[in-house]
Amino acid sequence: MKKIIFPLFIILASLFTFPAPALAKVIIQEKGTVVVGAIEVIDDDLFIGAENVDISGTVNGDVYVGAG
């Protein structure tokens, strides 16, 4: 029984010790406009907090925007 439980414990412990990296791009700008240009490609989730936002490019992920 110990031969099964110990390797299982090691595998489960390593999942919590070495979590998968979170990929996201965060842009925070209090004044002005955040612009994602027409030729810009973002291969992550995009979080934007700004006064104004203009997205003309491509985002391969989710986009979360908080703007005025």
PDB file of all heavy atoms in Angstrom, residues 6-19:
ATOM      1  N   PHE A   6       2.839   6.764  -1.715  1.00  0.00           N
ATOM      2  CA  PHE A   6       3.954   7.708  -1.720  1.00  0.00           C
ATOM      3  C   PHE A   6       4.175   8.356  -3.086  1.00  0.00           C
ATOM      4  O   PHE A   6       4.275   9.578  -3.158  1.00  0.00           O
ATOM      5  CB  PHE A   6       5.229   7.031  -1.206  1.00  0.00           C
ATOM      6  CG  PHE A   6       6.373   7.987  -1.049  1.00  0.00           C
ATOM      7  CD1 PHE A   6       6.361   8.930  -0.033  1.00  0.00           C
ATOM      8  CD2 PHE A   6       7.438   7.960  -1.925  1.00  0.00           C
ATOM      9  CE1 PHE A   6       7.402   9.825   0.116  1.00  0.00           C
ATOM     10  CE2 PHE A   6       8.482   8.855  -1.792  1.00  0.00           C
ATOM     11  CZ  PHE A   6       8.469   9.786  -0.761  1.00  0.00           C
ATOM     12  N   PRO A   7       4.237   7.590  -4.201  1.00  0.00           N
ATOM     13  CA  PRO A   7       4.390   8.263  -5.507  1.00  0.00           C
ATOM     14  C   PRO A   7       3.196   9.167  -5.848  1.00  0.00           C
ATOM     15  O   PRO A   7       3.374  10.234  -6.435  1.00  0.00           O
ATOM     16  CB  PRO A   7       4.487   7.115  -6.504  1.00  0.00           C
ATOM     17  CG  PRO A   7       4.934   5.949  -5.706  1.00  0.00           C
ATOM     18  CD  PRO A   7       4.347   6.143  -4.344  1.00  0.00           C
ATOM     19  N   LEU A   8       2.005   8.768  -5.454  1.00  0.00           N
ATOM     20  CA  LEU A   8       0.829   9.596  -5.692  1.00  0.00           C
ATOM     21  C   LEU A   8       0.925  10.908  -4.919  1.00  0.00           C
ATOM     22  O   LEU A   8       0.612  11.976  -5.440  1.00  0.00           O
ATOM     23  CB  LEU A   8      -0.437   8.827  -5.305  1.00  0.00           C
ATOM     24  CG  LEU A   8      -1.756   9.539  -5.544  1.00  0.00           C
ATOM     25  CD1 LEU A   8      -1.938   9.819  -7.036  1.00  0.00           C
ATOM     26  CD2 LEU A   8      -2.903   8.707  -5.026  1.00  0.00           C
ATOM     27  N   PHE A   9       1.402  10.844  -3.684  1.00  0.00           N
ATOM     28  CA  PHE A   9       1.594  12.048  -2.876  1.00  0.00           C
ATOM     29  C   PHE A   9       2.632  12.971  -3.517  1.00  0.00           C
ATOM     30  O   PHE A   9       2.443  14.188  -3.557  1.00  0.00           O
ATOM     31  CB  PHE A   9       2.026  11.662  -1.457  1.00  0.00           C
ATOM     32  CG  PHE A   9       2.394  12.851  -0.616  1.00  0.00           C
ATOM     33  CD1 PHE A   9       1.408  13.682  -0.109  1.00  0.00           C
ATOM     34  CD2 PHE A   9       3.719  13.149  -0.355  1.00  0.00           C
ATOM     35  CE1 PHE A   9       1.739  14.782   0.663  1.00  0.00           C
ATOM     36  CE2 PHE A   9       4.059  14.245   0.408  1.00  0.00           C
ATOM     37  CZ  PHE A   9       3.065  15.063   0.917  1.00  0.00           C
ATOM     38  N   ILE A  10       3.697  12.431  -4.024  1.00  0.00           N
ATOM     39  CA  ILE A  10       4.750  13.234  -4.670  1.00  0.00           C
ATOM     40  C   ILE A  10       4.201  13.939  -5.908  1.00  0.00           C
ATOM     41  O   ILE A  10       4.469  15.121  -6.136  1.00  0.00           O
ATOM     42  CB  ILE A  10       5.960  12.344  -5.045  1.00  0.00           C
ATOM     43  CG1 ILE A  10       6.608  11.762  -3.790  1.00  0.00           C
ATOM     44  CG2 ILE A  10       6.965  13.118  -5.872  1.00  0.00           C
ATOM     45  CD1 ILE A  10       7.204  12.800  -2.865  1.00  0.00           C
ATOM     46  N   ILE A  11       3.419  13.247  -6.697  1.00  0.00           N
ATOM     47  CA  ILE A  11       2.845  13.846  -7.908  1.00  0.00           C
ATOM     48  C   ILE A  11       1.886  14.975  -7.535  1.00  0.00           C
ATOM     49  O   ILE A  11       1.936  16.063  -8.116  1.00  0.00           O
ATOM     50  CB  ILE A  11       2.145  12.774  -8.759  1.00  0.00           C
ATOM     51  CG1 ILE A  11       3.172  11.824  -9.355  1.00  0.00           C
ATOM     52  CG2 ILE A  11       1.307  13.418  -9.859  1.00  0.00           C
ATOM     53  CD1 ILE A  11       2.586  10.609 -10.016  1.00  0.00           C
ATOM     54  N   LEU A  12       1.007  14.747  -6.587  1.00  0.00           N
ATOM     55  CA  LEU A  12       0.062  15.782  -6.172  1.00  0.00           C
ATOM     56  C   LEU A  12       0.771  16.975  -5.546  1.00  0.00           C
ATOM     57  O   LEU A  12       0.402  18.124  -5.794  1.00  0.00           O
ATOM     58  CB  LEU A  12      -0.966  15.205  -5.204  1.00  0.00           C
ATOM     59  CG  LEU A  12      -1.977  14.235  -5.819  1.00  0.00           C
ATOM     60  CD1 LEU A  12      -2.873  13.650  -4.749  1.00  0.00           C
ATOM     61  CD2 LEU A  12      -2.794  14.923  -6.886  1.00  0.00           C
ATOM     62  N   ALA A  13       1.798  16.734  -4.748  1.00  0.00           N
ATOM     63  CA  ALA A  13       2.542  17.828  -4.125  1.00  0.00           C
ATOM     64  C   ALA A  13       3.267  18.655  -5.176  1.00  0.00           C
ATOM     65  O   ALA A  13       3.347  19.880  -5.068  1.00  0.00           O
ATOM     66  CB  ALA A  13       3.525  17.274  -3.101  1.00  0.00           C
ATOM     67  N   SER A  14       3.779  18.031  -6.212  1.00  0.00           N
ATOM     68  CA  SER A  14       4.490  18.781  -7.256  1.00  0.00           C
ATOM     69  C   SER A  14       3.540  19.648  -8.078  1.00  0.00           C
ATOM     70  O   SER A  14       3.942  20.687  -8.591  1.00  0.00           O
ATOM     71  CB  SER A  14       5.264  17.831  -8.164  1.00  0.00           C
ATOM     72  OG  SER A  14       4.373  17.037  -8.917  1.00  0.00           O
ATOM     73  N   LEU A  15       2.278  19.258  -8.202  1.00  0.00           N
ATOM     74  CA  LEU A  15       1.316  20.093  -8.922  1.00  0.00           C
ATOM     75  C   LEU A  15       1.082  21.416  -8.203  1.00  0.00           C
ATOM     76  O   LEU A  15       0.884  22.447  -8.838  1.00  0.00           O
ATOM     77  CB  LEU A  15      -0.005  19.347  -9.094  1.00  0.00           C
ATOM     78  CG  LEU A  15       0.001  18.161 -10.044  1.00  0.00           C
ATOM     79  CD1 LEU A  15      -1.357  17.466 -10.028  1.00  0.00           C
ATOM     80  CD2 LEU A  15       0.347  18.606 -11.445  1.00  0.00           C
ATOM     81  N   PHE A  16       1.094  21.396  -6.871  1.00  0.00           N
ATOM     82  CA  PHE A  16       0.903  22.621  -6.107  1.00  0.00           C
ATOM     83  C   PHE A  16       2.199  23.405  -5.950  1.00  0.00           C
ATOM     84  O   PHE A  16       2.188  24.610  -5.763  1.00  0.00           O
ATOM     85  CB  PHE A  16       0.306  22.306  -4.736  1.00  0.00           C
ATOM     86  CG  PHE A  16      -1.095  21.790  -4.822  1.00  0.00           C
ATOM     87  CD1 PHE A  16      -1.385  20.465  -4.583  1.00  0.00           C
ATOM     88  CD2 PHE A  16      -2.138  22.639  -5.180  1.00  0.00           C
ATOM     89  CE1 PHE A  16      -2.685  19.984  -4.677  1.00  0.00           C
ATOM     90  CE2 PHE A  16      -3.433  22.172  -5.285  1.00  0.00           C
ATOM     91  CZ  PHE A  16      -3.710  20.850  -5.029  1.00  0.00           C
ATOM     92  N   THR A  17       3.329  22.735  -6.013  1.00  0.00           N
ATOM     93  CA  THR A  17       4.612  23.400  -5.870  1.00  0.00           C
ATOM     94  C   THR A  17       5.022  24.113  -7.149  1.00  0.00           C
ATOM     95  O   THR A  17       5.594  25.198  -7.113  1.00  0.00           O
ATOM     96  CB  THR A  17       5.699  22.384  -5.486  1.00  0.00           C
ATOM     97  OG1 THR A  17       5.267  21.680  -4.318  1.00  0.00           O
ATOM     98  CG2 THR A  17       7.011  23.064  -5.203  1.00  0.00           C
ATOM     99  N   PHE A  18       4.734  23.530  -8.305  1.00  0.00           N
ATOM    100  CA  PHE A  18       5.113  24.091  -9.600  1.00  0.00           C
ATOM    101  C   PHE A  18       3.863  24.330 -10.444  1.00  0.00           C
ATOM    102  O   PHE A  18       3.582  23.574 -11.376  1.00  0.00           O
ATOM    103  CB  PHE A  18       6.055  23.136 -10.337  1.00  0.00           C
ATOM    104  CG  PHE A  18       7.261  22.731  -9.529  1.00  0.00           C
ATOM    105  CD1 PHE A  18       7.376  21.453  -9.019  1.00  0.00           C
ATOM    106  CD2 PHE A  18       8.269  23.644  -9.274  1.00  0.00           C
ATOM    107  CE1 PHE A  18       8.483  21.070  -8.283  1.00  0.00           C
ATOM    108  CE2 PHE A  18       9.373  23.271  -8.531  1.00  0.00           C
ATOM    109  CZ  PHE A  18       9.491  21.992  -8.030  1.00  0.00           C
ATOM    110  N   PRO A  19       3.097  25.381 -10.153  1.00  0.00           N
ATOM    111  CA  PRO A  19       1.868  25.624 -10.930  1.00  0.00           C
ATOM    112  C   PRO A  19       2.192  26.094 -12.349  1.00  0.00           C
ATOM    113  O   PRO A  19       3.287  26.596 -12.625  1.00  0.00           O
ATOM    114  CB  PRO A  19       1.165  26.726 -10.145  1.00  0.00           C
ATOM    115  CG  PRO A  19       2.271  27.429  -9.444  1.00  0.00           C
ATOM    116  CD  PRO A  19       3.297  26.375  -9.130  1.00  0.00           C
TER     117      PRO A  19
END
